[in-house]
Short mmCIF file of all heavy atoms in Angstrom, two decimals:
data_model
loop_
_atom_site.label_atom_id
_atom_site.label_comp_id
_atom_site.label_asym_id
_atom_site.label_seq_id
_atom_site.Cartn_x
_atom_site.Cartn_y
_atom_site.Cartn_z
N ILE A 35 -10.90 3.56 4.42
CA ILE A 35 -11.53 2.74 5.42
C ILE A 35 -13.04 2.89 5.38
O ILE A 35 -13.80 1.90 5.50
CB ILE A 35 -10.95 3.06 6.82
CG1 ILE A 35 -9.50 2.65 6.89
CG2 ILE A 35 -11.76 2.37 7.91
CD1 ILE A 35 -8.73 3.22 8.10
N ARG A 36 -13.51 4.11 5.27
CA ARG A 36 -14.96 4.35 5.18
C ARG A 36 -15.54 3.65 3.97
O ARG A 36 -16.62 3.04 4.02
CB ARG A 36 -15.28 5.84 5.15
CG ARG A 36 -15.10 6.55 6.47
CD ARG A 36 -15.81 7.90 6.44
NE ARG A 36 -15.77 8.51 7.75
CZ ARG A 36 -16.65 8.25 8.74
NH1 ARG A 36 -17.56 7.33 8.55
NH2 ARG A 36 -16.58 8.87 9.87
N ALA A 37 -14.88 3.69 2.85
CA ALA A 37 -15.34 3.03 1.64
C ALA A 37 -15.41 1.52 1.84
O ALA A 37 -16.33 0.84 1.36
CB ALA A 37 -14.48 3.39 0.45
N ALA A 38 -14.44 0.98 2.57
CA ALA A 38 -14.37 -0.49 2.74
C ALA A 38 -15.39 -0.96 3.73
O ALA A 38 -16.03 -2.02 3.54
CB ALA A 38 -12.98 -0.88 3.25
N LEU A 39 -15.61 -0.20 4.81
CA LEU A 39 -16.51 -0.71 5.93
C LEU A 39 -17.89 -0.15 5.87
O LEU A 39 -18.77 -0.68 6.55
CB LEU A 39 -15.81 -0.37 7.27
CG LEU A 39 -14.45 -0.97 7.49
CD1 LEU A 39 -14.02 -0.65 8.92
CD2 LEU A 39 -14.45 -2.44 7.24
N SER A 40 -18.08 0.87 5.12
CA SER A 40 -19.43 1.47 4.90
C SER A 40 -20.09 1.73 6.30
O SER A 40 -19.51 2.31 7.16
CB SER A 40 -20.27 0.51 4.06
OG SER A 40 -21.52 1.06 3.74
N ALA A 41 -21.35 1.25 6.43
CA ALA A 41 -22.12 1.55 7.67
C ALA A 41 -21.54 0.88 8.91
O ALA A 41 -21.96 1.23 10.03
CB ALA A 41 -23.59 1.17 7.45
N TRP A 42 -20.66 -0.09 8.76
CA TRP A 42 -20.07 -0.74 9.92
C TRP A 42 -19.20 0.19 10.70
O TRP A 42 -19.00 0.07 11.89
CB TRP A 42 -19.27 -1.97 9.51
CG TRP A 42 -20.13 -3.16 9.17
CD1 TRP A 42 -21.47 -3.26 9.36
CD2 TRP A 42 -19.69 -4.39 8.62
NE1 TRP A 42 -21.91 -4.50 8.98
CE2 TRP A 42 -20.82 -5.20 8.52
CE3 TRP A 42 -18.47 -4.93 8.25
CZ2 TRP A 42 -20.77 -6.51 8.03
CZ3 TRP A 42 -18.44 -6.19 7.78
CH2 TRP A 42 -19.54 -6.99 7.66
N ALA A 43 -18.61 1.21 10.00
CA ALA A 43 -17.73 2.17 10.68
C ALA A 43 -18.56 3.40 11.10
O ALA A 43 -18.90 4.23 10.27
CB ALA A 43 -16.60 2.54 9.75
N LEU A 44 -18.83 3.49 12.37
CA LEU A 44 -19.58 4.64 12.86
C LEU A 44 -18.71 5.90 12.88
O LEU A 44 -19.21 7.03 12.72
CB LEU A 44 -20.12 4.39 14.26
CG LEU A 44 -21.07 3.20 14.41
CD1 LEU A 44 -21.56 3.09 15.85
CD2 LEU A 44 -22.27 3.37 13.47
N ALA A 45 -17.44 5.72 13.10
CA ALA A 45 -16.51 6.86 13.10
C ALA A 45 -15.11 6.34 12.74
O ALA A 45 -14.73 5.23 13.11
CB ALA A 45 -16.46 7.55 14.44
N VAL A 46 -14.40 7.13 11.98
CA VAL A 46 -12.96 6.86 11.70
C VAL A 46 -12.22 8.17 12.03
O VAL A 46 -12.40 9.21 11.43
CB VAL A 46 -12.71 6.48 10.23
CG1 VAL A 46 -11.23 6.07 10.02
CG2 VAL A 46 -13.62 5.35 9.80
N GLU A 47 -11.38 8.11 13.08
CA GLU A 47 -10.72 9.32 13.63
C GLU A 47 -9.22 9.22 13.52
O GLU A 47 -8.60 8.17 13.76
CB GLU A 47 -11.09 9.48 15.10
CG GLU A 47 -12.60 9.70 15.34
CD GLU A 47 -13.02 11.16 15.13
OE1 GLU A 47 -12.11 11.99 14.98
OE2 GLU A 47 -14.21 11.43 15.13
N HIS A 48 -8.60 10.35 13.18
CA HIS A 48 -7.15 10.51 13.22
C HIS A 48 -6.74 10.77 14.68
O HIS A 48 -7.22 11.76 15.25
CB HIS A 48 -6.72 11.69 12.30
CG HIS A 48 -5.26 11.87 12.23
ND1 HIS A 48 -4.68 13.02 11.69
CD2 HIS A 48 -4.20 11.08 12.58
CE1 HIS A 48 -3.38 12.92 11.71
NE2 HIS A 48 -3.03 11.75 12.26
N VAL A 49 -5.96 9.88 15.25
CA VAL A 49 -5.62 10.00 16.70
C VAL A 49 -4.09 9.95 16.84
O VAL A 49 -3.37 9.82 15.83
CB VAL A 49 -6.29 8.92 17.54
CG1 VAL A 49 -7.82 9.04 17.48
CG2 VAL A 49 -5.88 7.49 17.06
N GLY A 50 -3.63 10.02 18.06
CA GLY A 50 -2.20 9.96 18.29
C GLY A 50 -1.49 11.28 18.09
O GLY A 50 -2.12 12.32 17.72
#
Side-chain angles (χ1 to χ4, degrees):
I35 293 167
R36 284 196 175 279
L39 301 186
S40 186
W42 282 353
L44 299 182
V46 185
E47 297 278 351
H48 183 194
V49 296

